[in-house]
Amino acid sequence: MKKIYVLFFILIIYGCDVPNKSHDIKMDPDIFPYPKLLEDITDKQGEIENKERFEKFYNNVQQNKTDNIRLVRYTPEGNLVFYYLEYQNEMIYLTIDTKSNINEQKSLIQTTCISLKKVQTNISEKYLLEGCDKTIDNNILIIKK
């Protein structure tokens, strides 16, 4: 019986000495991994995933239909910036969440805009927010042809 107690004691002591590997990873638990949604529109430096969903949002705005989306944009450093757009009652509500941007001050910007405009050129389609109550970069999405 003493052997069982000694073995149990050794296992407890050994378990306390094993370093916790989860603390060795340099990741902010509020940021990575972020819960990716099926309807996310992702912009990885011009490589757009799920652009059809953004076009559906644009069409719903033009037809005065309530809708909302999340655009996840990667910065050149690999950080994430989340754009939450909601169209309701002829207004576009925008929230820009930079809490995952490690190199810049973390912030939450909220604004309302009057319209979403599509500008087509030979090389791209640009989606611009207009009539916003705060000064922001109004280029929401650029899709290269």
Side-chain angles (χ1 to χ4, degrees):
M1 190 64 150
K2 287 184 180 180
K3 290 181 183 179
I4 292 174
Y5 288 124
V6 171
L7 182 60
F8 182 70
F9 181 74
I10 290 172
L11 289 174
I12 289 175
I13 296 297
Y14 177 75
C16 293
D17 289 338
V18 175
N20 187 346
K21 296 290 184 188
S22 65
H23 293 291
D24 296 339
I25 300 172
K26 304 288 188 223
M27 292 192 330
D28 185 344
D30 293 333
I31 302 168
F32 299 103
Y34 77 96
K36 187 169 183 176
L37 305 175
L38 288 176
E39 290 201 349
D40 279 351
I41 297 101
T42 307
D43 180 0
K44 295 179 181 178
Q45 298 299 300
E47 183 181 320
I48 312 296
E49 293 177 13
N50 208 7
K51 63 183 169 186
E52 298 82 15
R53 177 62 184 105
F54 190 87
E55 290 168 358
K56 180 180 176 184
F57 176 78
Y58 172 78
N59 290 332
N60 285 338
V61 169
Q62 301 312 306
Q63 297 170 11
N64 199 21
K65 293 182 181 177
T66 300
D67 196 359
N68 62 68
I69 59 169
R70 179 170 79 169
L71 170 64
V72 181
R73 185 174 289 156
Y74 286 76
T75 67
E77 298 81 19
N79 298 318
L80 301 174
V81 179
F82 296 93
Y83 294 78
Y84 298 91
L85 291 106
E86 180 179 355
Y87 179 74
Q88 179 177 308
N89 300 325
E90 299 183 4
M91 293 297 291
I92 300 169
Y93 301 90
L94 171 66
T95 300
I96 304 171
D97 183 354
T98 65
K99 70 180 177 182
S100 67
N101 196 337
I102 296 167
N103 298 325
E104 294 184 17
Q105 182 177 351
K106 298 168 185 348
S107 67
L108 197 65
I109 300 165
Q110 295 181 318
T111 187
T112 56
C113 304
I114 296 172
S115 66
L116 178 62
K117 182 178 177 182
K118 181 180 188 179
V119 177
Q120 293 189 0
T121 67
N122 291 336
I123 59 171
S124 68
E125 290 179 341
K126 290 184 181 181
Y127 293 89
L128 311 168
L129 288 173
E130 295 183 325
C132 300
D133 64 358
K134 290 187 181 173
T135 303
I136 59 166
D137 177 8
N138 66 342
N139 287 313
I140 289 299
L141 189 65
I142 299 172
I143 300 174
K144 295 182 181 178
K145 293 181 181 179

